[in-house]
C-alpha cells in the first residue's frame, strides 16, 4: 500500500467514513502520490482542538460550515462530534439553520455592498431573521458562526458587521481568528473529501 493510500485511509477513518471512499479529487491526489495529503491530514486534525473554542463549539461551528458547503460526509461527522460533546438537538439544528440564513444574508448584503447604491440600502430586506434574536446557542456564539460562514461565503459587509458585534460582546480577536481558521480548513478539506 502506498503512503498516499495509507494517509487517505487515516483521514477517512478519522471522519468515520469508508476507508475505500474516493472522490475524483482524492483519486487525483492518491494517484499523484501528492505530499499535500499529509498537510490535509494535519490541517484536518488541527480543527478538532482549539485554545479559544470548546469541543462543543468546534463541533457546532464545523457543522454549520459543513452544511454551508453541502458536504454530507462532514455533516455526518460533525453532527456526531457535536452530539458527543454535549450539543443538544436544538443546538445542532440551529447550526444548520445558521448556515441557511447566512446563505441568504450573504447574497443579499454582498449585492448591496457591490452595487454601492443608496437606493438598495433604503429598500427593506424582507428576510426573516427571528433565529438571530434568541439563539439557543447564545448570541455571541451565533454571531461567531455567522462570521465564519460569512467569511467562507465572501461577504465583506457581513464579516465586518459580525466581527464588530463580536468585539462589542467581548469576544477576543484570537477566538474570532480561530473560528475563521477552522472554517477555512473545513472548506479546504471539503474540496477533496465529500
Amino acid at each position: 500500500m502506498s503512503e498516499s493510500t495509507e494517509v487517505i485511509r487515516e483521514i477517512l477513518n478519522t471522519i468515520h467514513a469508508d476507508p475505500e471512499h474516493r472522490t475524483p479529487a482524492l483519486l487525483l491526489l492518491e494517484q499523484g502520490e501528492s505530499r499535500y495529503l499529509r498537510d490535509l491530514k494535519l490541517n484536518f486534525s488541527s480543527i478538532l482542538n482549539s485554545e479559544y473554542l470548546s469541543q462543543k463549539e468546534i463541533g457546532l461551528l464545523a457543522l454549520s460550515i459543513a452544511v454551508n458547503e453541502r458536504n454530507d460526509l462532514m455533516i455526518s461527522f460533525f453532527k456526531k462530534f457535536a452530539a458527543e460533546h454535549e450539543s443538544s438537538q436544538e443546538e445542532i439544528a440551529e447550526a444548520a439553520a445558521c448556515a441557511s440564513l447566512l446563505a441568504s444574508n450573504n447574497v443579499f448584503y454582498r449585492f448591496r455592498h457591490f452595487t454601492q447604491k443608496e437606493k438598495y440600502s433604503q429598500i427593506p430586506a424582507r428576510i426573516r431573521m427571528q433565529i438571530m434574536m434568541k439563539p439557543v446557542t447564545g448570541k455571541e456564539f451565533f454571531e461567531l458562526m455567522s462570521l465564519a460562514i460569512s467569511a467562507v461565503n465572501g461577504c465583506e459587509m457581513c464579516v465586518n458587521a459580525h466581527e464588530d458585534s463580536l468585539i462589542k460582546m467581548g469576544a477576543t480577536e484570537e477566538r474570532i481568528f480561530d473560528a475563521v481558521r477552522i472554517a477555512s480548513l473545513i472548506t479546504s478539506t471539503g474540496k477533496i473529501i465529500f
Side-chain angles (χ1 to χ4, degrees), residues 33-127:
E33 291 289 323
S34 177
R35 295 179 317 215
Y36 177 67
L37 285 166
R38 288 190 298 270
D39 292 344
L40 187 68
K41 176 186 163 191
L42 292 172
N43 286 340
F44 186 79
S45 66
S46 79
I47 291 167
L48 305 177
N49 294 297
S50 170
E51 293 178 51
Y52 307 101
L53 298 163
S54 70
Q55 293 287 283
K56 176 181 176 176
E57 290 173 328
I58 290 169
L60 291 170
L61 176 74
L63 177 60
S64 71
I65 300 300
V67 169
N68 185 69
E69 296 297 293
R70 298 181 299 222
N71 187 310
D72 292 341
L73 281 177
M74 295 292 170
I75 290 169
S76 177
F77 174 73
F78 283 112
K79 176 186 172 198
K80 184 176 180 188
F81 185 91
E84 288 171 352
H85 291 94
E86 301 179 8
S87 296
S88 69
Q89 288 302 312
E90 284 180 311
E91 290 168 324
I92 288 169
E94 191 167 271
C98 184
S100 177
L101 174 61
L102 269 292
S104 66
N105 284 0
N106 293 160
V107 169
F108 181 79
Y109 289 104
R110 201 168 48 226
F111 166 77
R112 276 187 172 175
H113 178 73
F114 287 165
T115 60
Q116 298 183 8
K117 288 187 176 179
E118 185 61 32
K119 179 69 174 178
Y120 293 131
S121 295
Q122 295 169 358
I123 300 170
R126 295 181 55 213
I127 298 172

Side-chain angles (χ1 to χ4, degrees), residues 177-193:
F177 187 86
D178 214 27
V180 174
R181 178 190 68 82
I182 289 169
S184 74
L185 293 174
I186 296 288
T187 303
S188 70
T189 302
K191 301 296 181 196
I192 303 298
I193 299 171

